[in-house]
């Protein structure tokens, strides 16, 4: 018949084993957390580097497009201006910040906005670039022929 000491020794051994397993689990958990922190830190650095690179590329794109005398503009699929060059700003007669986020209907008379929207629809449906041949009135009162 086992005595009480045998049971106590067995419980102490099981307790020791459980403590070792807990310490090992704790160690593994700490390693996993540290690895996750390191990965997160690295991803944040990479994201920051990509954001800086994107800013520089956008600045370069803006510099190049602003040096071109032809109108350059681009819109999203809702026909909202998301970019343009300085020549287009001068044509419209307002700052780029006042053009971006707006549609032709917010910038031009309905007659011209309808023409521009129809041209946009054709471009988006064909998925090709297109030159428009239109005459429009510049903000300074001069009539311009758009190719």
């Amino acid at each position: 018949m086992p005595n009480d000491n045998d049971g106590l020794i067995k419980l102490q051994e099981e307790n020791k084993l459980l403590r070792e397993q807990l310490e090992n689990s704790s160690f593994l958990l700490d390693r996993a957390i540290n690895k996750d922190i390191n990965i997160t830190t690295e991803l944040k650095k990479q994201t920051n580097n990509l954001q800086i690179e994107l800013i520089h590329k956008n600045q370069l794109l803006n510099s190049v497009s602003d040096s071109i005398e032809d109108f350059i503009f681009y819109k999203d699929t809702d026909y909202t201006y998301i970019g343009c060059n300085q020549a287009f700003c001068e044509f419209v007669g307002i700052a780029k910040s006042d053009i971006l986020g707006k549609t032709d209907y917010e910038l031009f008379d309905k007659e011209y906005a309808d023409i521009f929207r129809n041209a946009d629809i054709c471009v988006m449906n064909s998925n090709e670039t297109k030159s428009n041949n239109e005459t429009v009135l510049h903000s300074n009162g001069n009539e311009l022929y758009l190719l």
Side-chain angles (χ1 to χ4, degrees), residues 46-95:
Q46 289 177 7
T47 300
N48 188 47
N49 290 341
L50 289 172
Q51 287 172 333
I52 290 169
E53 184 180 342
L54 180 61
I55 289 168
H56 288 168
K57 286 183 178 185
N58 280 335
Q59 289 171 338
L60 177 62
L61 174 65
N62 286 332
S63 294
V64 170
S65 68
D66 283 343
S67 70
I68 298 171
E69 294 179 5
D70 295 325
F71 303 155
I72 298 174
F73 60 87
Y74 34 102
K75 302 175 185 178
D76 62 19
T77 55
D78 293 323
Y79 308 103
T80 301
Y81 287 94
I82 57 173
C84 62
N85 69 347
Q86 187 58 36
F88 186 75
C89 293
E90 290 170 8
F91 163 69
V92 177
I94 59 176

Side-chain angles (χ1 to χ4, degrees), residues 2-12:
N3 68 30
D4 287 339
N5 278 344
D6 290 340
L8 183 58
I9 292 172
K10 187 173 182 176
L11 282 174
Q12 288 174 337

